Every structure is written in structure tokens, then in C-alpha cells.
Amino acid sequence: MPEAYIVEAVRTPTGKRNGTLAGVHPADLGAGVIKALLARTGVDPNAVEDVVFGCVDAIGPQAGDIARTCWLAAGLPQHVPGTTIDRQCGSSQQAIHFAAQGVMSGVQDLVVAGGVQNMSRIPISAAMLAGQAYGFDDPFSGSVGWRERYGVQEINQIRSAEMIAEKWGISRLDMEIFGLESNNRAEVAVTSGRFDAEIAPVGDFARDETVRMGSSLEKMATLKPVREGGIVTAGVSSQISDGASALLIASAAAVKAHNLKPRARIHAMTVRGDDPVYMLTAPIPATRHILQKTGMTLDDIGLVEINEAFASVVLAWAKELEADLSKVNVNGGAIALGHPLGATGGRLATTLLYEMERRGVRYGLQTMCEGGGQANVTIFERL
């Protein structure tokens, strides 16, 4: 089977809620990383065959196929199309998969994959509520099939994070210790400039602004739970934020034709589903599936990026997989660095690639929990 190579990967710095990137149109956020990607690789934009971008809550400035809009906003050739993917939090990881599949099938040679999200301007779950004006309270109410299968219980990620903590015996202190470690690792990474090479600045804005400098367990203990009677707080949850990411995926023929130097290849990829009410547990069966499929174990994986939607998600995954947390999210995760929904998959892939190179790691694994009880998993091999 033909190979799919990662030639380059870039991301914006992550902007905190109502922070530096809040006023930037999503199309301009996406255009910025696309232009940086092409500048770094020197690829003729006329040779790009598609732009596959992830975006959630695709309404308002994120509607109308934001992948296509980002490309055009970058001033690039009109003959290059774009398509927008919504696999919830895993949208841009799925964009990478679709781009790689296009290359591995022999249909395409050069594809831009990534994602964009401005959560400051379009709030999380805005699309879930947009139907209320037309008589639909949410995406599930009114479906006979859904009600027969799952009843009328609440489908909510905070509830899911609480359910996971209860099922896997994870305490608030467990989550706060994990959240503090994520923040501490991210603080070191940001202040030491470890992310500088992977970031495409937006104007003068060049560093993640989401890290809570000087955080402590004492401060975290004062936070109120998001749900009354619960244990999940903002300190153990991913941050609402803004950002964009982009990767160039190429075939062997494109690498040769454009004199490119690939940095990694897609070793394996999968996507699996799990209980949509628990919602956030699918990284567990998805990781098991890809390891079984490849004949690998986590001992073969040098670094892992698993999205920190909530601390309980990662801790439950680590318990089930008996994972070594010392090689998981080594530069911090979404608790500290934010989770701009549609862009996060590309951000994780970008950070993972750079860290694999910094440490000389051969294999890196990326996975994310996603709405609907789904999870993508990708194994990258550094070249």
C-alpha cells in the first residue's frame, strides 16, 4: 500500500477565551496556518489537491465549508477545493486520516489537513442549540430510535466526565494532581520556548496564553464543581480557547516531484465507537484495537498525546491500558493548553511530531475522545 507522509505541521498559539485571538475571524485563523505551511515547505499551492479541515459548531463565521473559506482567505488558487469535517473533538485528527487515506488510495498526492475553531465567538455547543428556533430542543429529542435505545437521559460531557470518575474510582484529588502536572509541564514547555518552532504567529502573538502560571493544589481545591454535587471543576477540564492547525500530507511521488523531506509517516490509524452516554471512553477500546491490529504494545510507543478533555478521561484510559503517564502529554495537555475543538487534533499531531524529533522517538500515538462516544487513534513513525 502507498505511504502517506507528514511533510510539515504548524499551529497557531492557543488563545484563551476572550483573549488575543477572540476577534480574529476563523477563516483568517485557518488562512494563517495554511500560508505558514506552504511557506515552510515551498510547495506550489497549485499542486495541492484538497484542503480537509475540522470544525465543530459550524455556524456563523464557521459555516459555509470553512476549509474552503480558509484557503480562499489565504489568497490561494481558486481551483483547489476544501471540505469540512465534524467528528466533534476529533475533527482535525479525522481530517488527517481522510487526507492520508486519499494519498494511500493513490487518488491524491498532496493534501492539506487541519482544523480551526474560534470558541470565543461561537460558543461550545452552539450548533447543538441552533435548532431550538425551529422547534428542536437538541439533536436527540424527538428521535424514536434514539429514545428507544438510550431513553431521555441527559447527554452532556460534564455528566460523562463525572460518570467516568465514578466508574473508575477517580477522586477529585486524583484529577487535581493530574491537572496540576499538566499545567506544570505546559508552563515549562512555554517558558522554555519548546513550542516556538511549531507555532505560526498571528501578528505579534506567538506564545500560548492559556497556561495558568503559578497554579497549585491549594488554589484548585477552592474551585466549585461545574455540576452541583459533582467533583469535576474547571481546573481539571479542558479550556475553551481559539486556534488553528495545519499539516501537509504527501505521497512518495509528491515527495520526489516537489523535492520534499518527509518528517514522519502514518504507521496506522483507526476510529472506534463506544457508549455515547459515557461519551468520552472510546479512546480505551480504540487504543486496544490499534495495538492489536498492529501487533504493538504501549511499550513500543515512545510518546502519547491523548486529549485532556477532562482529567478523568485520561486517568481512566491510563488505568485500563496500564499506561506510563511519564510519556503521556509530556508538554501538558488541554487542561493547560486549551482545546479549540476543531483544531485540537492537528495541534496534538503537530506537538507530538516536534517532540518525537526532539527526543529521537520512533513511534508516537495520538488519541482523542469525541462526542457520540467515538475516538480516533493515529500512530506516527518518525523518519
Side-chain angles (χ1 to χ4, degrees):
M1 180 182 292
E3 301 280 11
Y5 295 101
I6 311 296
V7 175
E8 186 57 274
V10 298
R11 67 175 181 93
T12 65
T14 304
K16 65 182 179 181
R17 184 180 188 179
N18 298 323
T20 304
L21 298 181
V24 182
H25 194 288
D28 295 326
L29 279 179
V33 289
I34 290 173
K35 288 191 287 188
L37 186 73
L38 296 177
R40 292 186 183 198
T41 59
V43 164
D44 180 356
N46 288 287
V48 174
E49 293 170 86
D50 206 356
V51 179
V52 188
F53 256 37
C55 187
V56 188
D57 296 313
I59 61 176
Q62 295 175 165
D65 190 359
I66 189 68
R68 170 75 168 158
T69 311
C70 289
W71 180 267
L72 296 177
L76 296 166
Q78 293 185 108
H79 72 266
V80 178
T83 190
T84 302
I85 305 301
D86 179 359
R87 201 188 286 279
Q88 298 293 279
C89 295
S91 294
S92 54
Q93 186 173 0
Q94 183 61 59
I96 295 168
H97 283 202
F98 280 154
Q101 288 163 359
V103 167
M104 294 168 76
S105 70
V107 173
Q108 296 170 316
D109 289 300
L110 276 177
V111 182
V112 171
V116 62
Q117 200 84 33
N118 189 317
M119 299 178 76
S120 294
R121 302 189 77 173
I122 303 297
I124 185 171
S125 296
M128 303 280 277
L129 304 176
Q132 291 179 346
Y134 306 100
F136 297 94
D137 290 338
D138 57 55
F140 315 106
S141 298
S143 166
V144 174
W146 179 274
R147 186 176 66 248
E148 288 178 348
R149 188 165 189 179
Y150 299 108
V152 294
Q153 61 185 304
E154 178 185 6
I155 305 297
N156 179 284
Q157 61 179 330
I158 304 297
R159 178 185 180 225
S160 299
E162 294 277 5
M163 291 167 62
I164 290 168
E166 181 178 359
K167 181 175 179 178
W168 273 273
I170 299 165
S171 69
R172 173 168 172 165
L173 180 58
D174 293 334
M175 293 191 291
E176 289 176 340
I177 290 171
F178 178 86
L180 180 62
E181 179 63 15
S182 175
N183 201 79
N184 290 344
R185 291 179 181 187
E187 186 172 341
V188 170
V190 170
T191 56
S192 67
R194 194 174 297 170
F195 294 141
D196 290 357
E198 69 191 56
I199 287 177
V202 181
D204 295 330
F205 179 47
R207 281 196 171 184
D208 302 303
E209 64 182 3
T210 52
V211 181
R212 300 177 176 107
M213 301 296 183
S215 187
S216 68
L217 287 177
E218 290 74 22
K219 291 179 181 178
M220 295 174 78
T222 66
L223 298 174
K224 293 182 178 180
V226 180
R227 290 169 67 94
E228 186 175 350
I231 60 173
V232 172
T233 70
V236 299
S237 309
S238 57
Q239 294 184 47
I240 290 172
S241 53
D242 312 316
S245 57
L247 297 87
L248 184 64
I249 315 296
S251 67
V255 166
K256 183 176 181 180
H258 298 277
N259 194 31
L260 303 172
K261 184 178 180 180
R263 298 169 63 182
R265 73 177 186 94
I266 303 290
H267 179 71
M269 52 188 170
T270 194
V271 60
R272 305 290 281 184
D274 204 11
D275 186 336
V277 179
Y278 270 88
M279 191 188 297
L280 312 173
T281 57
I284 296 168
T287 302
R288 284 180 174 148
H289 177 74
I290 203 167
L291 293 177
Q292 182 180 21
K293 185 177 180 181
T294 58
M296 302 175 77
T297 70
L298 280 184
D299 290 338
D300 299 313
I301 305 297
L303 288 169
V304 173
E305 286 287 335
I306 173 171
N307 192 40
E308 293 174 4
F310 299 92
S312 59
V313 172
V314 183
L315 291 173
W317 173 88
K319 280 190 173 187
E320 287 287 334
L321 275 296
E322 298 181 350
D324 177 2
L325 286 174
S326 70
K327 61 180 184 181
V328 175
N329 300 353
V330 296
N331 291 315
I335 291 172
L337 295 168
H339 177 23
L341 305 174
T344 299
R347 201 284 293 172
L348 293 181
T350 299
T351 298
L352 179 58
L353 175 63
Y354 276 83
E355 192 62 21
M356 288 170 66
E357 292 174 339
R358 196 175 77 85
R359 297 189 180 213
V361 165
R362 181 177 181 184
Y363 292 111
L365 181 148
Q366 173 185 339
T367 187
M368 305 178 69
C369 59
E370 302 156 0
Q374 306 173 94
N376 285 75
V377 186
T378 317
I379 296 177
F380 299 95
E381 181 180 12
R382 181 182 60 85
L383 299 176

